[in-house]
Amino acid sequence: MTLDPRASLDVDPLLDDPSTRIVVCCGSGGVGKTTTAAALGLRAAERGRKVVVLTIDPARRLAQSMGIDSLDNTPRRVKDIDNGSGGELHAMMLDMKRTFDEIVEAHADEERAKAILSNPFYQSLSAGFAGTQEYMAMEKLGQLRSRDEWDLIVVDTPPSRSALDFLDAPTRLGSFLDGKLIRLLMAPAKVGGRAGMKFLNVGMSMMTGTLGKLLGGQLLRDVQTFVAAMDTTFGGFRTRADATYKLLQAPGTAFLVVAAPERDALREAAYFVERLAAEKMPLAGLVLNRVHGSGAGRLSAERALAAAENLDECRIVDQTGGKEEGRATPEALPEASSEAPIEASPETSGSDSTAGSDSTAGSDPTAEPSIEQLTAGLLRLHAERMQVVAREQRTRDRFTALHPEVAVTEVAALPGDVHDLAGLRDIGERLAAGGTPAGA
């Protein structure tokens, strides 16, 4: 037996280390980030940490699995965990618009905040502007960390088109706020008084006329009103984004890249690993989720298929022999009466040996399958499983060849979804024990 060259990711020391304050689960969509984040949070809490899990998954699976009716922008304590070690578990789901509203309310006076919150352009921006969800996830992370109420924050990053969107969002929103259009729209408010009105009427007449035709005059006025009202808070957005970005680079943060053992997911994981290294953000390792294995790994797919074919051939030969034995010969005919039917022998009564028929035993849908048929079917299923295992191994090996420094833990594929704390606890145990390759 050869030793696995991959570094193993030991999850428990990471969760137990009091200097670990933030764990960020990231990766492409559909690889199990939400379940992984919840399982890590539960395991850390039951090992004595005071944990809050921040999810951005709108499917509400986290609330269901933790036994909470619903999650919102306020952390809610999870009951029925094993808190014998003194730990606590809280969970929340990001409300993007509510987080945006909280920022406005915190950084603008009451009158200006009211004007911003009622502005139609702001309502559209806060509800669906590209990158807003990712940016608000960073904002909420910064808020939770500043409160210092929890000693571990586990973040489930947004289900983005690309895993890189989470890191790009602050820069993208900052670019929007610093863009030429925004600065131009903001200029009249900054000049102020009659000079500002003169600038607006003369310097912007051409631009507003053109944009008014493209966007509509009311929309343009909404944008200008929004920009004027938000002027005092724009700097705060950029400042907090920079602070949160530095927080993600700090030693107390650990990134876990979650991926399935599939080509596209691991390619995205490789991109993220490289990006984290380029941004000098601390990578703890890779969680390889839904890995297939087999308890009969010594039986290869090729041998299983060959055995199944041999069983099929033997069954066909046996059936042919049975037909020959059950066929009446000329010597036997004189002893049989022409009126009496020929009784089938016990050896042939259970087979489809009707004269003139070449059908096999499987042609009758009501017939019980033979042991040989069942065995051949199981061998083919095993062969398919071993082909999946081999394909996953090749994909995994390509990743580790490119990034041998990345520690890996594996979680075996489960027959169903996780619906409760017991399921999350099971996932946590698999994460902790997953440094050993599946099927080993």
Side-chain angles (χ1 to χ4, degrees):
M1 179 179 178
T2 59
L3 294 176
D4 194 321
R6 289 172 293 152
S8 296
L9 172 61
D10 203 345
V11 169
D12 284 345
L14 175 69
L15 299 178
D16 294 343
D17 187 352
S19 66
T20 303
R21 302 300 302 274
I22 298 173
V23 173
V24 182
C25 296
C26 52
S28 56
V31 295
K33 294 194 303 292
T34 300
T35 301
T36 299
L40 288 170
L42 176 61
R43 188 167 184 84
E46 293 187 334
R47 295 175 69 87
R49 303 294 300 270
K50 191 173 182 180
V51 187
V52 59
V53 177
L54 169 62
T55 183
I56 297 91
D57 186 358
R60 303 184 184 275
R61 289 171 296 177
L62 181 60
Q64 295 171 358
S65 61
M66 290 185 169
I68 300 175
D69 292 335
S70 63
L71 291 178
D72 54 22
N73 225 34
T74 302
R76 299 183 181 277
R77 186 164 182 173
V78 178
K79 302 177 181 179
D80 300 325
I81 73 167
D82 182 1
N83 56 2
S85 299
E88 294 180 10
L89 179 61
H90 297 74
M92 62 180 298
M93 185 177 72
L94 178 73
D95 184 330
M96 180 176 63
K97 188 178 186 312
R98 183 59 202 149
T99 300
F100 211 148
D101 292 349
E102 290 172 355
I103 296 169
V104 172
E105 292 167 351
H107 296 90
D109 58 63
E110 183 177 353
E111 183 177 350
R112 183 166 297 198
K114 185 177 180 180
I116 294 172
L117 296 177
S118 62
N119 184 275
F121 180 75
Y122 166 78
Q123 292 173 358
S124 298
L125 175 68
S126 61
F129 183 75
T132 303
Q133 186 182 50
E134 289 81 2
Y135 178 83
M136 290 305 151
M138 302 268 293
E139 279 276 357
K140 181 56 68 176
L141 172 59
Q143 291 176 9
L144 293 173
R145 185 67 181 86
S146 65
R147 289 166 61 178
D148 208 28
E149 187 174 343
W150 299 274
D151 56 36
L152 179 62
I153 303 169
V154 182
V155 182
D156 163 36
T157 54
S160 307
R161 175 192 57 80
S162 168
L164 303 179
D165 287 349
F166 181 66
L167 294 178
D168 288 334
T171 302
R172 191 163 59 246
L173 190 60
S175 298
F176 167 74
L177 298 178
D178 283 328
K180 292 181 180 179
L181 175 61
I182 291 295
R183 285 190 279 111
L184 191 57
L185 292 172
M186 194 186 303
K190 287 188 173 180
V191 174
R194 293 182 178 178
M197 291 303 296
K198 182 178 180 180
F199 182 92
L200 177 63
N201 291 333
V202 178
M204 298 184 67
S205 59
M206 183 177 297
M207 186 200 73
T208 55
T210 303
L211 287 178
K213 293 178 181 178
L214 293 174
L215 304 178
Q218 183 59 50
L219 175 58
L220 183 58
R221 286 191 291 273
D222 291 340
V223 173
Q224 290 173 329
T225 304
F226 163 76
V227 170
M230 286 286 285
D231 181 25
T232 57
T233 64
F234 277 172
F237 276 102
R238 288 187 291 272
T239 301
R240 288 189 304 277
D242 292 341
T244 304
Y245 210 73
K246 291 178 181 178
L247 183 64
L248 293 176
Q249 293 174 316
T253 299
F255 279 84
L256 287 175
V257 179
V258 184
E262 301 166 359
R263 184 178 59 182
D264 291 343
L266 278 174
R267 183 188 294 118
E268 193 81 5
Y271 291 154
F272 210 106
V273 167
E274 294 162 5
R275 174 67 184 277
L276 290 172
E279 299 292 336
K280 298 181 180 179
M281 292 187 175
L283 173 65
L286 171 72
V287 175
L288 203 56
N289 203 14
R290 302 169 185 160
V291 177
H292 292 89
S294 174
R298 294 184 179 181
L299 178 59
S300 68
E302 293 77 11
R303 290 177 59 193
L305 287 174
E309 291 174 1
N310 287 337
L311 284 172
D312 286 339
E313 290 175 0
C314 289
R315 184 168 56 84
I316 292 171
V317 170
D318 289 345
Q319 285 178 347
T320 303
K323 291 177 183 179
E324 293 294 337
E325 292 171 7
R327 190 174 294 145
T329 61
E331 292 79 7
L333 287 175
E335 299 181 18
S337 170
S338 59
E339 287 88 17
I342 301 176
E343 295 291 337
S345 65
E347 292 80 9
T348 61
S349 59
S351 64
D352 290 334
S353 55
T354 306
S357 173
D358 291 330
S359 63
T360 62
S363 62
D364 183 359
T366 63
E368 289 288 336
S370 67
I371 294 177
E372 290 80 3
Q373 285 178 295
L374 291 173
T375 304
L378 290 173
L379 285 167
R380 288 193 174 88
L381 287 175
H382 174 75
E384 292 177 4
R385 169 57 67 90
M386 293 305 296
Q387 289 168 349
V388 170
V389 171
R391 183 174 67 251
E392 291 180 353
Q393 182 68 52
R394 290 192 300 270
T395 306
R396 190 163 53 234
D397 288 347
R398 281 195 292 270
F399 175 88
T400 53
L402 289 172
H403 300 284
E405 77 286 357
V406 177
V408 179
T409 186
E410 297 181 357
V411 179
L414 299 178
D417 293 332
V418 175
H419 299 291
D420 52 21
L421 287 175
L424 290 176
R425 194 173 289 116
D426 181 33
I427 293 292
E429 292 173 357
R430 291 169 183 264
L431 280 164
T436 302

